[in-house]
Amino acid sequence: MGHGRTNADGVRVDVSEVHAIAAGLGRAVAGTERQWQRALGGLGFDAGAAGPGYRGRGEAVDAGYRRLRRVLEAWSDEAAGVADLLGRTADGYGYELDRQVTALTGIDADVRGPR
């Protein structure tokens, strides 16, 4: 696939740049996930050791840490999915534009199906 493609309607899609954005987003998600896992991985609160007067509060703190980890895991999964979808969308643009070039010129422009 070429760097940028323009279809018959004059719409330009820079497939390489869309792939670069998707890859950058994927790296950012992975880096962010490593950071929050490192920061929150060992956090917890031993409610049992807090003593009878503080056990309820300790359980609430521990439940809060668990909720925070679940939210961050869900965010990471969603953001990674967006990066993957963006990459697959770029593949689809590139494939469709190559297909149009082949159909209009009869020259196979290294047509590959989307992933």
mmCIF file of all heavy atoms in Angstrom, residues 18-57:
data_model
loop_
_atom_site.group_PDB
_atom_site.id
_atom_site.type_symbol
_atom_site.label_atom_id
_atom_site.label_comp_id
_atom_site.label_asym_id
_atom_site.label_seq_id
_atom_site.Cartn_x
_atom_site.Cartn_y
_atom_site.Cartn_z
ATOM 1 N N VAL A 18 -2.599 6.704 9.543
ATOM 2 C CA VAL A 18 -3.637 6.104 10.393
ATOM 3 C C VAL A 18 -3.049 4.901 11.128
ATOM 4 O O VAL A 18 -3.291 4.706 12.315
ATOM 5 C CB VAL A 18 -4.890 5.724 9.583
ATOM 6 C CG1 VAL A 18 -5.904 4.998 10.461
ATOM 7 C CG2 VAL A 18 -5.524 6.968 8.970
ATOM 8 N N HIS A 19 -2.233 4.101 10.422
ATOM 9 C CA HIS A 19 -1.556 2.980 11.088
ATOM 10 C C HIS A 19 -0.625 3.484 12.185
ATOM 11 O O HIS A 19 -0.559 2.890 13.269
ATOM 12 C CB HIS A 19 -0.753 2.158 10.080
ATOM 13 C CG HIS A 19 -1.550 1.111 9.392
ATOM 14 N ND1 HIS A 19 -2.053 0.005 10.035
ATOM 15 C CD2 HIS A 19 -1.934 1.002 8.103
ATOM 16 C CE1 HIS A 19 -2.710 -0.734 9.181
ATOM 17 N NE2 HIS A 19 -2.671 -0.155 7.990
ATOM 18 N N ALA A 20 0.099 4.574 11.923
ATOM 19 C CA ALA A 20 1.012 5.125 12.924
ATOM 20 C C ALA A 20 0.245 5.609 14.154
ATOM 21 O O ALA A 20 0.693 5.403 15.288
ATOM 22 C CB ALA A 20 1.831 6.267 12.317
ATOM 23 N N ILE A 21 -0.896 6.225 13.941
ATOM 24 C CA ILE A 21 -1.725 6.682 15.062
ATOM 25 C C ILE A 21 -2.210 5.482 15.873
ATOM 26 O O ILE A 21 -2.153 5.494 17.109
ATOM 27 C CB ILE A 21 -2.910 7.525 14.556
ATOM 28 C CG1 ILE A 21 -2.398 8.856 13.994
ATOM 29 C CG2 ILE A 21 -3.929 7.763 15.673
ATOM 30 C CD1 ILE A 21 -3.437 9.625 13.206
ATOM 31 N N ALA A 22 -2.663 4.447 15.188
ATOM 32 C CA ALA A 22 -3.135 3.240 15.885
ATOM 33 C C ALA A 22 -2.007 2.608 16.695
ATOM 34 O O ALA A 22 -2.206 2.220 17.852
ATOM 35 C CB ALA A 22 -3.699 2.241 14.883
ATOM 36 N N ALA A 23 -0.820 2.527 16.101
ATOM 37 C CA ALA A 23 0.320 1.941 16.809
ATOM 38 C C ALA A 23 0.702 2.800 18.018
ATOM 39 O O ALA A 23 0.992 2.277 19.101
ATOM 40 C CB ALA A 23 1.507 1.792 15.865
ATOM 41 N N GLY A 24 0.691 4.118 17.850
ATOM 42 C CA GLY A 24 0.998 5.008 18.966
ATOM 43 C C GLY A 24 -0.004 4.880 20.093
ATOM 44 O O GLY A 24 0.366 4.853 21.277
ATOM 45 N N LEU A 25 -1.280 4.774 19.741
ATOM 46 C CA LEU A 25 -2.307 4.590 20.758
ATOM 47 C C LEU A 25 -2.101 3.264 21.488
ATOM 48 O O LEU A 25 -2.195 3.206 22.715
ATOM 49 C CB LEU A 25 -3.702 4.639 20.125
ATOM 50 C CG LEU A 25 -4.886 4.408 21.054
ATOM 51 C CD1 LEU A 25 -4.898 5.422 22.195
ATOM 52 C CD2 LEU A 25 -6.190 4.464 20.274
ATOM 53 N N GLY A 26 -1.788 2.219 20.742
ATOM 54 C CA GLY A 26 -1.530 0.920 21.364
ATOM 55 C C GLY A 26 -0.371 0.976 22.344
ATOM 56 O O GLY A 26 -0.440 0.425 23.448
ATOM 57 N N ARG A 27 0.716 1.662 21.948
ATOM 58 C CA ARG A 27 1.869 1.804 22.853
ATOM 59 C C ARG A 27 1.508 2.624 24.092
ATOM 60 O O ARG A 27 1.922 2.298 25.202
ATOM 61 C CB ARG A 27 3.044 2.443 22.114
ATOM 62 C CG ARG A 27 3.736 1.522 21.132
ATOM 63 C CD ARG A 27 5.029 2.127 20.594
ATOM 64 N NE ARG A 27 4.824 3.411 19.949
ATOM 65 C CZ ARG A 27 4.493 3.585 18.671
ATOM 66 N NH1 ARG A 27 4.326 2.535 17.887
ATOM 67 N NH2 ARG A 27 4.340 4.806 18.164
ATOM 68 N N ALA A 28 0.723 3.688 23.899
ATOM 69 C CA ALA A 28 0.317 4.528 25.029
ATOM 70 C C ALA A 28 -0.539 3.739 26.019
ATOM 71 O O ALA A 28 -0.356 3.846 27.236
ATOM 72 C CB ALA A 28 -0.444 5.757 24.537
ATOM 73 N N VAL A 29 -1.439 2.940 25.497
ATOM 74 C CA VAL A 29 -2.299 2.114 26.367
ATOM 75 C C VAL A 29 -1.441 1.130 27.152
ATOM 76 O O VAL A 29 -1.596 0.981 28.365
ATOM 77 C CB VAL A 29 -3.378 1.377 25.545
ATOM 78 C CG1 VAL A 29 -4.089 0.331 26.390
ATOM 79 C CG2 VAL A 29 -4.376 2.366 24.971
ATOM 80 N N ALA A 30 -0.520 0.454 26.452
ATOM 81 C CA ALA A 30 0.332 -0.534 27.124
ATOM 82 C C ALA A 30 1.183 0.126 28.209
ATOM 83 O O ALA A 30 1.316 -0.408 29.318
ATOM 84 C CB ALA A 30 1.212 -1.246 26.104
ATOM 85 N N GLY A 31 1.741 1.298 27.908
ATOM 86 C CA GLY A 31 2.550 2.006 28.900
ATOM 87 C C GLY A 31 1.737 2.457 30.093
ATOM 88 O O GLY A 31 2.177 2.329 31.241
ATOM 89 N N THR A 32 0.559 2.980 29.828
ATOM 90 C CA THR A 32 -0.321 3.418 30.917
ATOM 91 C C THR A 32 -0.734 2.230 31.778
ATOM 92 O O THR A 32 -0.749 2.323 33.009
ATOM 93 C CB THR A 32 -1.562 4.128 30.341
ATOM 94 O OG1 THR A 32 -1.131 5.236 29.554
ATOM 95 C CG2 THR A 32 -2.485 4.600 31.446
ATOM 96 N N GLU A 33 -1.050 1.122 31.120
ATOM 97 C CA GLU A 33 -1.448 -0.073 31.871
ATOM 98 C C GLU A 33 -0.313 -0.555 32.774
ATOM 99 O O GLU A 33 -0.538 -0.892 33.939
ATOM 100 C CB GLU A 33 -1.881 -1.180 30.912
ATOM 101 C CG GLU A 33 -2.453 -2.378 31.619
ATOM 102 C CD GLU A 33 -3.064 -3.377 30.655
ATOM 103 O OE1 GLU A 33 -2.753 -3.326 29.446
ATOM 104 O OE2 GLU A 33 -3.843 -4.207 31.111
ATOM 105 N N ARG A 34 0.907 -0.566 32.267
ATOM 106 C CA ARG A 34 2.055 -0.974 33.102
ATOM 107 C C ARG A 34 2.201 -0.048 34.304
ATOM 108 O O ARG A 34 2.460 -0.508 35.419
ATOM 109 C CB ARG A 34 3.343 -0.969 32.271
ATOM 110 C CG ARG A 34 3.524 -2.187 31.398
ATOM 111 C CD ARG A 34 4.933 -2.262 30.805
ATOM 112 N NE ARG A 34 5.291 -1.082 30.034
ATOM 113 C CZ ARG A 34 5.010 -0.903 28.749
ATOM 114 N NH1 ARG A 34 4.360 -1.839 28.079
ATOM 115 N NH2 ARG A 34 5.386 0.200 28.119
ATOM 116 N N GLN A 35 2.016 1.251 34.078
ATOM 117 C CA GLN A 35 2.176 2.210 35.173
ATOM 118 C C GLN A 35 1.120 2.023 36.250
ATOM 119 O O GLN A 35 1.439 2.012 37.441
ATOM 120 C CB GLN A 35 2.140 3.636 34.631
ATOM 121 C CG GLN A 35 3.384 4.000 33.868
ATOM 122 C CD GLN A 35 3.314 5.402 33.293
ATOM 123 O OE1 GLN A 35 2.241 5.949 33.091
ATOM 124 N NE2 GLN A 35 4.465 5.977 33.020
ATOM 125 N N TRP A 36 -0.154 1.889 35.858
ATOM 126 C CA TRP A 36 -1.159 1.764 36.913
ATOM 127 C C TRP A 36 -1.067 0.408 37.596
ATOM 128 O O TRP A 36 -1.339 0.296 38.783
ATOM 129 C CB TRP A 36 -2.565 2.092 36.435
ATOM 130 C CG TRP A 36 -3.266 1.151 35.503
ATOM 131 C CD1 TRP A 36 -3.476 1.320 34.183
ATOM 132 C CD2 TRP A 36 -3.883 -0.096 35.832
ATOM 133 N NE1 TRP A 36 -4.165 0.272 33.663
ATOM 134 C CE2 TRP A 36 -4.436 -0.617 34.661
ATOM 135 C CE3 TRP A 36 -4.024 -0.825 37.015
ATOM 136 C CZ2 TRP A 36 -5.105 -1.841 34.620
ATOM 137 C CZ3 TRP A 36 -4.700 -2.047 36.974
ATOM 138 C CH2 TRP A 36 -5.223 -2.528 35.783
ATOM 139 N N GLN A 37 -0.652 -0.633 36.859
ATOM 140 C CA GLN A 37 -0.490 -1.936 37.507
ATOM 141 C C GLN A 37 0.639 -1.885 38.530
ATOM 142 O O GLN A 37 0.536 -2.465 39.610
ATOM 143 C CB GLN A 37 -0.232 -3.023 36.472
ATOM 144 C CG GLN A 37 -1.471 -3.425 35.724
ATOM 145 C CD GLN A 37 -1.202 -4.455 34.639
ATOM 146 O OE1 GLN A 37 -0.071 -4.677 34.223
ATOM 147 N NE2 GLN A 37 -2.264 -5.082 34.162
ATOM 148 N N ARG A 38 1.712 -1.189 38.169
ATOM 149 C CA ARG A 38 2.838 -1.040 39.102
ATOM 150 C C ARG A 38 2.403 -0.238 40.333
ATOM 151 O O ARG A 38 2.734 -0.590 41.465
ATOM 152 C CB ARG A 38 3.989 -0.335 38.391
ATOM 153 C CG ARG A 38 5.299 -0.398 39.119
ATOM 154 C CD ARG A 38 6.460 0.179 38.315
ATOM 155 N NE ARG A 38 6.431 -0.261 36.936
ATOM 156 C CZ ARG A 38 6.495 0.563 35.877
ATOM 157 N NH1 ARG A 38 6.598 1.865 36.043
ATOM 158 N NH2 ARG A 38 6.475 0.094 34.654
ATOM 159 N N ALA A 39 1.646 0.825 40.101
ATOM 160 C CA ALA A 39 1.238 1.702 41.207
ATOM 161 C C ALA A 39 0.188 1.050 42.099
ATOM 162 O O ALA A 39 0.211 1.219 43.316
ATOM 163 C CB ALA A 39 0.701 3.021 40.655
ATOM 164 N N LEU A 40 -0.743 0.324 41.493
ATOM 165 C CA LEU A 40 -1.858 -0.224 42.279
ATOM 166 C C LEU A 40 -1.728 -1.706 42.582
ATOM 167 O O LEU A 40 -2.495 -2.234 43.380
ATOM 168 C CB LEU A 40 -3.177 -0.013 41.523
ATOM 169 C CG LEU A 40 -3.602 1.420 41.269
ATOM 170 C CD1 LEU A 40 -4.904 1.453 40.481
ATOM 171 C CD2 LEU A 40 -3.753 2.174 42.579
ATOM 172 N N GLY A 41 -0.780 -2.370 41.938
ATOM 173 C CA GLY A 41 -0.670 -3.824 42.071
ATOM 174 C C GLY A 41 -0.585 -4.315 43.499
ATOM 175 O O GLY A 41 -1.207 -5.298 43.874
ATOM 176 N N GLY A 42 0.185 -3.642 44.314
ATOM 177 C CA GLY A 42 0.360 -4.102 45.680
ATOM 178 C C GLY A 42 -0.535 -3.418 46.688
ATOM 179 O O GLY A 42 -0.446 -3.692 47.881
ATOM 180 N N LEU A 43 -1.387 -2.510 46.213
ATOM 181 C CA LEU A 43 -2.241 -1.800 47.159
ATOM 182 C C LEU A 43 -3.361 -2.700 47.664
ATOM 183 O O LEU A 43 -3.985 -3.428 46.916
ATOM 184 C CB LEU A 43 -2.865 -0.566 46.509
ATOM 185 C CG LEU A 43 -1.960 0.617 46.263
ATOM 186 C CD1 LEU A 43 -2.749 1.751 45.622
ATOM 187 C CD2 LEU A 43 -1.309 1.092 47.551
ATOM 188 N N GLY A 44 -3.583 -2.620 48.899
ATOM 189 C CA GLY A 44 -4.666 -3.359 49.532
ATOM 190 C C GLY A 44 -4.720 -2.922 50.986
ATOM 191 O O GLY A 44 -3.839 -2.210 51.467
ATOM 192 N N PHE A 45 -5.722 -3.362 51.654
ATOM 193 C CA PHE A 45 -5.854 -2.989 53.051
ATOM 194 C C PHE A 45 -6.312 -4.222 53.795
ATOM 195 O O PHE A 45 -7.352 -4.798 53.477
ATOM 196 C CB PHE A 45 -6.876 -1.854 53.210
ATOM 197 C CG PHE A 45 -6.862 -1.249 54.572
ATOM 198 C CD1 PHE A 45 -6.014 -0.194 54.863
ATOM 199 C CD2 PHE A 45 -7.694 -1.735 55.561
ATOM 200 C CE1 PHE A 45 -5.995 0.372 56.131
ATOM 201 C CE2 PHE A 45 -7.685 -1.178 56.827
ATOM 202 C CZ PHE A 45 -6.824 -0.124 57.107
ATOM 203 N N ASP A 46 -5.521 -4.634 54.746
ATOM 204 C CA ASP A 46 -5.854 -5.824 55.526
ATOM 205 C C ASP A 46 -6.884 -5.440 56.581
ATOM 206 O O ASP A 46 -6.555 -5.003 57.678
ATOM 207 C CB ASP A 46 -4.593 -6.401 56.165
ATOM 208 C CG ASP A 46 -4.866 -7.701 56.886
ATOM 209 O OD1 ASP A 46 -6.018 -8.191 56.836
ATOM 210 O OD2 ASP A 46 -3.930 -8.235 57.496
ATOM 211 N N ALA A 47 -8.136 -5.573 56.175
ATOM 212 C CA ALA A 47 -9.228 -5.161 57.066
ATOM 213 C C ALA A 47 -9.201 -5.936 58.371
ATOM 214 O O ALA A 47 -9.515 -5.395 59.435
ATOM 215 C CB ALA A 47 -10.569 -5.346 56.361
ATOM 216 N N GLY A 48 -8.796 -7.198 58.320
ATOM 217 C CA GLY A 48 -8.763 -8.022 59.530
ATOM 218 C C GLY A 48 -7.753 -7.517 60.546
ATOM 219 O O GLY A 48 -7.956 -7.651 61.754
ATOM 220 N N ALA A 49 -6.656 -6.938 60.059
ATOM 221 C CA ALA A 49 -5.617 -6.440 60.961
ATOM 222 C C ALA A 49 -5.938 -5.049 61.498
ATOM 223 O O ALA A 49 -5.239 -4.550 62.374
ATOM 224 C CB ALA A 49 -4.270 -6.413 60.238
ATOM 225 N N ALA A 50 -6.974 -4.439 60.999
ATOM 226 C CA ALA A 50 -7.302 -3.075 61.413
ATOM 227 C C ALA A 50 -7.889 -3.018 62.809
ATOM 228 O O ALA A 50 -7.936 -1.963 63.419
ATOM 229 C CB ALA A 50 -8.289 -2.454 60.421
ATOM 230 N N GLY A 51 -8.329 -4.130 63.283
ATOM 231 C CA GLY A 51 -8.965 -4.142 64.595
ATOM 232 C C GLY A 51 -10.470 -3.994 64.437
ATOM 233 O O GLY A 51 -10.957 -3.494 63.420
ATOM 234 N N PRO A 52 -11.217 -4.455 65.440
ATOM 235 C CA PRO A 52 -12.668 -4.488 65.314
ATOM 236 C C PRO A 52 -13.300 -3.128 65.034
ATOM 237 O O PRO A 52 -14.263 -3.030 64.291
ATOM 238 C CB PRO A 52 -13.143 -5.033 66.658
ATOM 239 C CG PRO A 52 -11.946 -5.429 67.431
ATOM 240 C CD PRO A 52 -10.738 -4.955 66.717
ATOM 241 N N GLY A 53 -12.725 -2.066 65.585
ATOM 242 C CA GLY A 53 -13.320 -0.747 65.409
ATOM 243 C C GLY A 53 -13.104 -0.165 64.014
ATOM 244 O O GLY A 53 -13.808 0.760 63.609
ATOM 245 N N TYR A 54 -12.157 -0.707 63.266
ATOM 246 C CA TYR A 54 -11.816 -0.147 61.955
ATOM 247 C C TYR A 54 -12.019 -1.144 60.819
ATOM 248 O O TYR A 54 -11.754 -0.823 59.665
ATOM 249 C CB TYR A 54 -10.363 0.341 61.953
ATOM 250 C CG TYR A 54 -10.140 1.442 62.946
ATOM 251 C CD1 TYR A 54 -9.600 1.179 64.197
ATOM 252 C CD2 TYR A 54 -10.501 2.753 62.639
ATOM 253 C CE1 TYR A 54 -9.404 2.189 65.117
ATOM 254 C CE2 TYR A 54 -10.319 3.772 63.563
ATOM 255 C CZ TYR A 54 -9.770 3.485 64.796
ATOM 256 O OH TYR A 54 -9.589 4.493 65.709
ATOM 257 N N ARG A 55 -12.479 -2.330 61.138
ATOM 258 C CA ARG A 55 -12.609 -3.387 60.127
ATOM 259 C C ARG A 55 -13.524 -2.952 58.980
ATOM 260 O O ARG A 55 -13.198 -3.136 57.811
ATOM 261 C CB ARG A 55 -13.130 -4.671 60.775
ATOM 262 C CG ARG A 55 -13.070 -5.842 59.830
ATOM 263 C CD ARG A 55 -13.233 -7.174 60.541
ATOM 264 N NE ARG A 55 -12.011 -7.442 61.295
ATOM 265 C CZ ARG A 55 -11.970 -7.826 62.566
ATOM 266 N NH1 ARG A 55 -13.081 -7.974 63.250
ATOM 267 N NH2 ARG A 55 -10.834 -8.052 63.170
ATOM 268 N N GLY A 56 -14.652 -2.346 59.278
ATOM 269 C CA GLY A 56 -15.588 -1.900 58.235
ATOM 270 C C GLY A 56 -14.957 -0.876 57.308
ATOM 271 O O GLY A 56 -15.119 -0.941 56.088
ATOM 272 N N ARG A 57 -14.217 0.061 57.888
ATOM 273 C CA ARG A 57 -13.545 1.067 57.070
ATOM 274 C C ARG A 57 -12.449 0.423 56.216
ATOM 275 O O ARG A 57 -12.245 0.800 55.067
ATOM 276 C CB ARG A 57 -12.961 2.164 57.942
ATOM 277 C CG ARG A 57 -14.031 3.016 58.582
ATOM 278 C CD ARG A 57 -13.425 4.071 59.458
ATOM 279 N NE ARG A 57 -14.470 4.815 60.146
ATOM 280 C CZ ARG A 57 -14.285 5.469 61.261
ATOM 281 N NH1 ARG A 57 -13.100 5.468 61.840
ATOM 282 N NH2 ARG A 57 -15.281 6.128 61.819
#
